[in-house]
Structures are given as structure tokens and as C-alpha cells.
């Protein structure tokens, strides 16, 4: 018996309808269907169902999906979504056509406006695969009429209106869909960011393009404020005519914030598509820091600037390439990238300057660029309580540093300044979650090399800064040429190191609270200058050299150390000792970073007997801005008075007795000196502890302890304590 038809059990398999009838054609079709492999039959069923759905949607325009659409988006966004007018959602024929009238999307509860989005009409063509794959939706066409979007950050910076779902969800960066062409009428955009103190309102209108290559011209204009500074912007986006093959959107943007001007022009692949864009940026203004305020980024103040660069976006980075221009009287070139890894702003830059003007360095450490522009070097000096000061008081912008991270490599070939022998500056800067490191910061100076590592930790309060500055052996003749040291005949070298830690968000505050040590070491060598003998006040040696023809011979330095121990912003000599062939120069006292006062005295004792020796301290007082050297000290006047009295009482030769130097200065053991050791570690050449270098205090007397009168005087001078 033949098998029955599995689709029709009541019909035997061998029963064939007569040809020509409807049943026969149905039978033949069924037989042909059975011959198709089962997987293909399943696939054809799926395609058929999809086509049926497509046909239903195309015929009905998907209007029956209006209420399911509202319910689905309301549940997905966790915000009420309503369509008050006509609704269409279907495939046309492949892209998704979405059209809605009187559509609203409610705002989150804390927002200042009731609706996040509203529009009298939204009409769009959406690439269906972009809804399933990729990180951006692709919109081939978008028409908006009388639409308004409200983009707003919460005051605590944790939430925003465009991050949907859980109201407690962390706010994400704005990720616009890729829009190829757009037609906008009566459309506005409102943006508010309390943390950046940014508020702006922008209006959009589409007009017919004048150029036949373009179908429309989207004009936009707006106003706003940034950190209480008003700004305006305007521009246009020309959308290409579909009949023009390979057409691109042409962008022109002009923004002004006071005297700060920003212009961007070029082409875009799509209306909101920056990737692959070919843009050119021009910006100029009085201060580059004001421009970076728009990113919430803190950079040093500058004088007036003008910069140009190419601009595009690749792989999530905004790239400013072929950057070149100037700030102040200095040139600048290089590249800059801006990105948001892990939703945190990151700036990476590699910049070079061929010639850096000395006045353009000042703002980097806190000086007012406008004062420098108007007054030159005098603009670095301020007056506090009637006293001139040089250390800047501009605060570090701690809050702004918390907004971003940075990586910078900055190289400078030369400094334009008289008497500043600095070149080949190299700076590597890293900012990581409010920890700013300038490491290393290096430059060449007078034939030597200075390297430093500076760390500014603003993660807590107060800001903590550590300094480690090292000067490699540098020719004394070149370094001190400005101060009368003759390079010819000077073989001495200088090396130094500064290690300090201070608290405060300005350079002045940091140094005013600092603790640490400063040491300048003079290895063996020669130095020629007339002032060395005058500063020693050894008249006998000076006259002997003058008459014997040895005046032009250099002074032989065995070793020397000029060191200070810094405690709470006050530096005390610890010690100052320079051992020469014929003298030992000693220094005592100190200076204050707090009020920039000086109170030092220097004394030179001869190793040989001398008839004409003042043997009286030379005082260095005043301030950093106005130091004062007092050669004729009270001690020397007293000796002069004694000489006059002896001259009257006895004979003129007796007056010499008042200036006799018995030549009892102890030669220094150079080991502790060259090691930069403290006063307590210093030794004579015979190995005995020195009793003439003080005790690392600011006292200037022989015992190194200081009288009560001197202590009160220095408290008043260094600390302002009365």
C-alpha cells in the first residue's frame, strides 16, 4: 500500500488529480516544495514572513504601532514618551522611515525644563543595521520642525538629561547619531553645565543653498556664558545635493568670547560626522587660557596669541595637527589630541618653540601676563604692605586640575633675553588625577646642565609640592660673567642641588612653608675678579697684589660650600664657607621666603699676617627685589675710629694696628665641604670640628646662637612677628 501524503492524510500518495484543474496545479506546487531541502524551506518561510510584515508596515505605514512605540520607549528610557499627532514607522524600502508629530520625551525630575525633547515634526531615515551593530546610529535624513532639545548636567556633575534609564545612573558623554543630511526649522538647542559654568542657547534654521552643488544650508547662531564670560557663535552647514557624486557637508563656524576668536572651516562627511573631516582651525585672542576654559582645562596664562591647525577626529580622538603660531613674542608648533578614555578628559601634546621670549615664561609660574606686557620685567614685581615682592601669588587652579589628565612634551631651543644663558629646555609633564609632575624639566645653562623633578600633589588640601633641582658642574666664569667674574683665568666650577617640600597653591605659599636644603658647591679651581679681594676687605693683600703685579692673577679656591637649611620658609646658613689660598670666607644669617627679606653677613679671615685688614662683616640685607650690600659696617667704622684715635695719640703708623689681621684662619677640610654637609659636620684641615661656621641657625654672631635682640630683630624681619 502506498504511503499517504503527510500533509493530507486522507489523500493517498498515489492519487494524482487530473491535469488542468486547480487541484492539479496545487498538487504540482506541493510536490515541487517537497523537493526543496528542509533548511531552505525553513529559510524561505522566514523570508516570506518578513516580507509579509514589511508589506503590512508599508501599506499601513506602521500607524498601528503608535501606542506600542510609546509604551516601549517609556519603559526603556524610564521617561514618559508621547506622540500627539500622526505616527509612521516602516521600511521604505530598506531604510527605516520614522515620522512623528507632536512628539515629546519628558525630562528627568531634577532638570530645569519639563521636556528633554519636543518637536512638532520629526521625519527621519535610519539605517536598520546601525540599530543592532556599531556604537552610533546612522541617520541618512533628518527633518525637524519647531523642535527643542534640553541638554543639562546636574549640579553635582554626576547625572545629565541625555543618559536614560536609571535616574541614579552615572552621566555618559553626549553621543550624537551620524546624520548625513538635515532640514531644520525653528529648532533650538539648550545646554547647561553648572560645573563648567557654561550655558548656551543655539537656534537652527535651514535655508536654500545659493551654490547648486548643495541642497540646503543649515544656519545656526547662539549666545551663552562661560565662567561668567559671554560669548556668541554663528555659522552654517551646507548639505550636498544628492545629484552631486561624492559631495560633502561644508562647515563654517565663527565664535567670539570678548576678544577671543575661534574660526573653524572645512568639510564633513555628514552633518554630525566628524570622523574623516577635513577642517582648519584659526584662533586668536589676548590669553590662550581663556580658550581652554571652554574645555574646563587649566593651562598657564599667556600674552596675546594666534594659532592655526588642521582638525579632525579619528578613533575617538580630536586631533589638532600641523599646529603653528605664536603666543606673545614666542613661536609655537606641534600637535595636540583631545580624547575621553574612561569618560575622563585627556590631553596629549608634543610642542616645540624655537625662540621663547623671557616675558612669555613669567605666566608659566604665576606672573600676570598683562602686567608683563605693559611693564616688562617690572611687571613681575608687586607691592605688599609697602614692600616690593618678586615671588608670584597666582593660585593653582586646583578645581580645574580635577577635570582632566594630560601628557605633554615641550621643547624650547633658545631663550630670548639679555644675560640669561639658558637654552635647550626640555619639559615632560604628566597630570594624573590632580597629581602634576614636571619630570624631568631640564635645560642647558652657561655650559652646564640643570635637571629637576617637581611634583605638585593637588589630590588633597593643602597642595603639596616637592622640588628636586640639580645643577651639574658649570663653569663659574660663564655662569657669573654678569657679576664681574672674568671667564679668562677662571677655571672654577659650580654645582648645586635644591631639595624642598612646601604646602600651598601658589609658588609664594609653597616656598613660604617649605622645609629642605639648598647647597651650592665650589670644587677646587681659580676665579679672577677684582671684587673677590674687595669683598674680603683685606686691604693689605689688595695693595700687595697691585704693586707686585699679581692683581691679574686669579684667586685660587680650594673648596667652597654655600648652603642653607630651610625650616618653615626661613633659610639659615648651614654653612657658608669658602676656603681660598690665602683666606677663609665665612657667612652667617639667612633669608625668608615668607616676606623675601635678606639678613646675611660675610667675613673673610686671612691665613697670613696682614697689616691692612678690615676683618669686618659685609652685610647683605634688604629684599629679593632690592638687595643692599653694606661694605662699611659698624664694626669697620669702630676700627676706623680706633685708628684715628691711635694716630692722634701716637703716630700715623700706630693707626695700622687697628687693621691688623693676625692670620689665624683655619683651613677647611674639603671632604665635608664638597659633600655639602651641614655646619656641625664641618672640620678644619687638622680634623677638628670647626667653631666658626655657626650651628645652622640664622644667628650672625661668633657663637652662632644669636642674642635676644638679634632673634627679635630677625623674627620681625623674616616672619613679620612684632
Amino acid at each position: 500500500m502506498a504511503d499517504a501524503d503527510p500533509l493530507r492524510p486522507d489523500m493517498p500518495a498515489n492519487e494524482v488529480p487530473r491535469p488542468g484543474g486547480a487541484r492539479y496545479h496545487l498538487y504540482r506546487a506541493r510536490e515541487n516544495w517537497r523537493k526543496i531541502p528542509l533548511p531552505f524551506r525553513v529559510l524561505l518561510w522566514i523570508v516570506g514572513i518578513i516580507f509579509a510584515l514589511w508589506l503590512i508596515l508599508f501599506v499601513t505605514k506602521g500607524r498601528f504601532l503608535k501606542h506600542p512605540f510609546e509604551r516601549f520607549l517609556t519603559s526603556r528610557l524610564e521617561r514618559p514618551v508621547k506622540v500627539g499627532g500622526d505616527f509612521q514607522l516602516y521600511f521604505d524600502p530598506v531604510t527605516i522611515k520614522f515620522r512623528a508629530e507632536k512628539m515629546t520625551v519628558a525630562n528627568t525630575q531634577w532638570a530645569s525644563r519639563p521636556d528633554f525633547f519636543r518637536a512638532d515634526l520629526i521625519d527621519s531615515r535610519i539605517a536598520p543595521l546601525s540599530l543592532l551593530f556599531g556604537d552610533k546610529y546612522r541617520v541618512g535624513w533628518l527633518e525637524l520642525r519647531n523642535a527643542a532639545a534640553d541638554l543639562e548636567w546636574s549640579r553635582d556633575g554626576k547625572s545629565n538629561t541625555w543618559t536614560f534609564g536609571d535616574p541614579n545612573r552615572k552621566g555618559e558623554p553626549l553621543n550624537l547619531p551620524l546624520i548625513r543630511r538635515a532640514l531644520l526649522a525653528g529648532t533650538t538647542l539648550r545646554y547647561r553645565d553648572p560645573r563648567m559654568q557654561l550655558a548656551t542657547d543655539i537656534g537652527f534654521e535651514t535655508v536654500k543653498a545659493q551654490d547648486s552643488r548643495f541642497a540646503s544650508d543649515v544656519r545656526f547662531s547662539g549666545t551663552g556664558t562661560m565662567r561668567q564670560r559671554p560669548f556668541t557663535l554663528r555659522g552654517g552647514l551646507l548639505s550636498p545635493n544628492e545629484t552631486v557624486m561624492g559631495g560633502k557637508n561644508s562647515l563654517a563656524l565663527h565664535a567670539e568670547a570678548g576678544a577671543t576668536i575661534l574660526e573653524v572651516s572645512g568639510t564633513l562627511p555628514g552633518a554630525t560626522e566628524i570622523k574623516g573631516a577635513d577642517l582648519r582651525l584659526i584662533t586668536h585672542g589676548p590669553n590662550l587660557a581663556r580658550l581652554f576654559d571652554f574645555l574646563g582645562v587649566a593651562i598657564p596664562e599667556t600674552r596675546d596669541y594666534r594659532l592655526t591647525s588642521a582638525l579632525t577626529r579619528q578613533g575617538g580622538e580630536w586631533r589638532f595637527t600641523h599646529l603653528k603660531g605664536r603666543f606673545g613674542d614666542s613661536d609655537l608648533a606641534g600637535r595636540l589630541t583631545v580624547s575621553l578614555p574612561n569618560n575622563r578628559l585627556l590631553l596629549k601634546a608634543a610642542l616645540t618653540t624655537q625662540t621663547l621670549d623671557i616675558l612669555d615664561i613669567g605666566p608659566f609660574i604665576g606672573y600676570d601676563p598683562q602686567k608683563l606686557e605693559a611693564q616688562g620685567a617690572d611687571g613681575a614685581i608687586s607691592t605688599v604692605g609697602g614692600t616690593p615682592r618678586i615671588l608670584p601669588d597666582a593660585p593653582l587652579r586646583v578645581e580645574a586640575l580635577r577635570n582632566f589628565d594630560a601628557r605633554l612634551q615641550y621643547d624650547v631651543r633658545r631663550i630670548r633675553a639679555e644675560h640669561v644663558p639658558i637654552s635647550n629646555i626640555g619639559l615632560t609633564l604628566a597630570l594624573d588625577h590632580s597629581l602634576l609632575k614636571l619630570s624631568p624639566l631640564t635645560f642647558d645653562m652657561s655650559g652646564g646642565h640643570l635637571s629637576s623633578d617637581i611634583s605638585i600633589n593637588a589630590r588633597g588640601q593643602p597642595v603639596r609640592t616637592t622640588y628636586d633641582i640639580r645643577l651639574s658642574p658649570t663653569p663659574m666664569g660663564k655662569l657669573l660673567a654678569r657679576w664681574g667674574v672674568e671667564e679668562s683665568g677662571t677655571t672654577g666650577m659650580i654645582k648645586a642641588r635644591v631639595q624642598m617640600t612646601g604646602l600651598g597653591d601658589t609658588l609664594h605659599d609653597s616656598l613660604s612653608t617649605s622645609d629642605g636644603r639648598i647647597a651650592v658647591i665650589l670644587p677646587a679651581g681659580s676665579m679672577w675678579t677684582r671684587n673677590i679681594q674687595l669683598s674680603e676687605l683685606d686691604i693689605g693683600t689688595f695693595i700687595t697684589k697691585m704693586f707686585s703685579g699679581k692683581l691679574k692673577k686669579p684667586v685660587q679656591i680650594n673648596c667652597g660650600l654655600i648652603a642653607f637649611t630651610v625650616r618653615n620658609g626661613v633659610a639659615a646658613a648651614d654653612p657658608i664657607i669658602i676656603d681660598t689660598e690665602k683666606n677663609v670666607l665665612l657667612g652667617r644669617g639667612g633669608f625668608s621666603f615668607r616676606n623675601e627679606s635678606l639678613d646675611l653677613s660675610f667675613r673673610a679671615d686671612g691665613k697670613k699676617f696682614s697689616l691692612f685688614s678690615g676683618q669686618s662683616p659685609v652685610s647683605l640685607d634688604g629684599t629679593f627685589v632690592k638687595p643692599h650690600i653694606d661694605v662699611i659696617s659698624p664694626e669697620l667704622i669702630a676700627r676706623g675710629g680706633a685708628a684715628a684715635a691711635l694716630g692722634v695719640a701716637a703716630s700715623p703708623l700706630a693707626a695700622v694696628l687697628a687693621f691688623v689681621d693676625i692670620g689665624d684662619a683655619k683651613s677647611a677640610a674639603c671632604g665635608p665641604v664638597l659633600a655639602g654637609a651641614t655646619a656641625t659636620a664641618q672640620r678644619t684641615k687638622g680634623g677638628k670640628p670647626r667653631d666658626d661656621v655657626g650651628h645652622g641657625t640664622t644667628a650672625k654672631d661668633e657663637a652662632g646662637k644669636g642674642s635676644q635682640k638679634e632673634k627679635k630683630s630677625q623674627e620681625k624681619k623674616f616672619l613679620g612677628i612684632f
Side-chain angles (χ1 to χ4, degrees), residues 322-492:
H322 305 292
L323 188 152
K324 61 181 179 179
R326 63 163 185 84
F327 61 101
D329 292 322
S330 307
D331 62 272
L332 186 68
R335 64 182 185 275
L336 167 69
T337 62
V338 181
S339 59
L340 282 168
N342 301 318
N343 295 330
R344 182 171 176 82
L345 184 63
L346 172 63
L347 274 66
K348 294 188 292 185
L351 304 173
T352 59
T353 292
Q354 295 299 314
T355 302
L356 179 62
D357 192 86
I358 188 66
L359 293 184
D360 294 318
I361 297 177
F364 291 2
I365 56 177
Y367 291 117
D368 185 341
Q370 305 306 320
K371 289 183 64 177
L372 294 175
E373 180 75 28
Q375 304 175 32
D378 291 340
I381 301 172
S382 60
T383 301
V384 179
T387 302
R389 294 201 182 165
I390 192 69
L391 294 178
D393 272 321
L396 184 70
R397 293 172 56 186
V398 176
E399 290 301 322
L401 288 182
R402 292 173 180 162
N403 297 335
F404 70 104
D405 295 330
R407 307 286 184 272
L408 168 66
Q409 180 64 49
Y410 183 41
D411 297 311
V412 178
R413 184 175 180 181
R414 63 179 292 267
I415 301 293
R416 182 192 294 116
E418 189 177 1
H419 305 306
V420 180
I422 293 176
S423 61
N424 298 324
I425 298 175
L427 168 63
T428 300
L429 180 149
L431 175 63
D432 181 12
H433 292 81
S434 299
L435 177 60
L436 177 62
K437 292 184 177 181
L438 285 69
S439 178
L441 168 59
T442 64
F443 55 83
D444 295 334
M445 182 173 67
S446 299
H449 187 74
L450 186 141
S451 59
S452 61
D453 298 290
I454 300 173
S455 174
I456 304 173
N457 190 342
R459 291 175 176 174
Q461 287 294 335
V463 176
R464 183 182 182 89
T465 303
T466 59
Y467 307 87
D468 188 355
I469 305 170
R470 304 168 298 279
L471 176 65
S472 66
T474 302
M476 188 184 302
K478 290 185 178 180
L479 185 63
L480 303 179
R482 183 183 176 187
W483 289 275
V485 175
E486 298 287 345
E487 186 174 350
S488 176
T490 299
T491 63

Side-chain angles (χ1 to χ4, degrees), residues 12 215 230 272 339 426 641 661-662:
T272 61
S339 59
D661 181 356
I662 62 174

Side-chain angles (χ1 to χ4, degrees), residues 40 75 139-140 194 215 222 393 492 553 593 661 706 711 718:
F40 287 99
S75 174
V139 180
D393 272 321
K553 289 186 177 181
F593 286 115
D661 181 356
K711 288 180 180 179
F718 290 157

